[in-house]
Amino acid sequence: MVDIYDFGPKVNFKKKKLRMEKFTGLPNYARTLVERMHSLAELQDFQPVELCNLEYSSERGAAIDPHFDDFWIWGDRLVTLNLISDSILSFTNDSDPCVEVQVPLLQRSLIIVTDEARNVWKHGIHRHHISSTRMAMTFRELTPEFLDGGERASDGQQLINISLTFEGCAVGL
């Protein structure tokens, strides 16, 4: 079982629709984290519009199956801060199911999943890699469709403006 606390717009991935009326921004405590991310060359232009906090409990058999994060709305960089305990992020590729790449996630480490790791390889956490409570904070940015010049640029700018107020309350999933 994984507990999820989401700060982001309500998204219907299948119908490619989003609702922003209950989105109040990223939480105040994320401001410092985002500012620190901007000090990294790879994340200087990172504009997160969603923060998903996932709490994994070994006692409840927590895991997350290999998956891709949505490609319609979420951009090329997924940024995750691994907290409380060490874990392993596993990457698999459907074209070669016998290959699995395991990336150690140390307590308080940051990982940027991008390029082929984001677009070709699925990522997940195996149950046996959760040894105690794990908290993961995943920040997501928008795709070009929602940025300047994109079809949904006005929606994207509204999401960015709301998210960076840092006045957010968690939205139900």
Side-chain angles (χ1 to χ4, degrees), residues 1 5 22 41 58 67 71-72 89 92 104 110 158:
M1 179 80 166
Y5 305 94
K22 292 185 180 179
S58 59
H67 67 283
F71 296 109
W72 164 64
L89 183 63
T92 56
L110 183 86
Q158 186 177 356

Side-chain angles (χ1 to χ4, degrees), residues 71-103:
F71 296 109
W72 164 64
I73 190 168
W74 305 135
D76 190 49
R77 294 173 292 188
L78 307 173
V79 180
T80 299
L81 181 60
N82 186 65
L83 300 172
I84 304 177
S85 66
D86 297 347
S87 186
I88 295 175
L89 183 63
S90 297
F91 288 90
T92 56
N93 187 324
D94 289 343
S95 66
D96 194 348
C98 294
V99 174
E100 180 175 285
V101 177
Q102 296 183 348
V103 178

Side-chain angles (χ1 to χ4, degrees), residues 136-162:
M137 299 175 70
T138 299
F139 293 84
R140 294 179 179 92
E141 65 184 346
L142 295 168
T143 59
E145 178 179 345
F146 290 88
L147 302 175
D148 283 343
E151 268 182 54
R152 311 260 325 247
S154 62
D155 288 339
Q157 190 57 58
Q158 186 177 356
L159 284 170
I160 291 167
N161 291 343
I162 294 169

